[in-house]
Amino acid sequence: ILQTGRALVEEAQVEQKESMKRTPVLTGALRASHETSDFTLGKNTIEVSIKVGGASAPYAVVVHEAMDAFHKVGEAKFLENTIKESAPHMAARISKRLHMNKAAGS
């Protein structure tokens, strides 16, 4: 379970980096506010989250959802689009990462 949790966190960090590339930039606070959690265990789940905003960028939801806004850098739905595009490949990537980590002895 620990190896699976670590693989999920590593994969979420890849998604975070891609989301950060797509995040609109005015001051850089929104881009810098991305944060990937450690994994948590539920009864039948292992969960990892990527959060954007917080005290340093409380406007994150507004920017994320503003489909009609023009951004010189970045796009609306920067996190959502990243996850949606990766979703069909996520299980295979996590499986591959798990096997690589086991082979490396992590």
Side-chain angles (χ1 to χ4, degrees):
I1 293 175
L2 294 177
Q3 291 174 336
T4 302
R6 281 190 223 118
L8 286 169
V9 170
E10 290 169 0
E11 199 58 42
Q13 290 169 337
V14 170
E15 298 302 310
Q16 175 185 317
K17 287 179 185 174
E18 179 60 29
S19 176
M20 290 172 75
K21 290 178 188 175
R22 298 174 180 208
T23 302
V25 176
L26 184 60
T27 66
L30 183 58
R31 184 175 278 180
S33 74
H34 281 68
E35 184 178 304
T36 298
S37 71
D38 199 357
F39 67 91
T40 57
L41 300 175
K43 185 175 179 180
N44 295 308
T45 62
I46 302 173
E47 296 181 12
V48 176
S49 64
I50 302 170
K51 297 180 182 177
V52 183
S56 64
Y59 49 86
V61 172
V62 173
V63 174
H64 189 270
E65 298 301 317
M67 296 294 291
D68 58 346
F70 171 77
H71 304 286
K72 286 185 178 181
V73 175
E75 61 188 46
K77 304 283 188 178
F78 47 90
L79 181 57
E80 182 178 334
N81 289 341
T82 298
I83 301 300
K84 281 183 175 180
E85 289 171 20
S86 292
H89 315 286
M90 190 72 67
R93 289 180 12 202
I94 291 168
S95 178
K96 183 177 179 181
R97 187 176 296 282
L98 241 171
H99 292 298
M100 289 180 356
N101 288 351
K102 283 182 183 178
S106 310

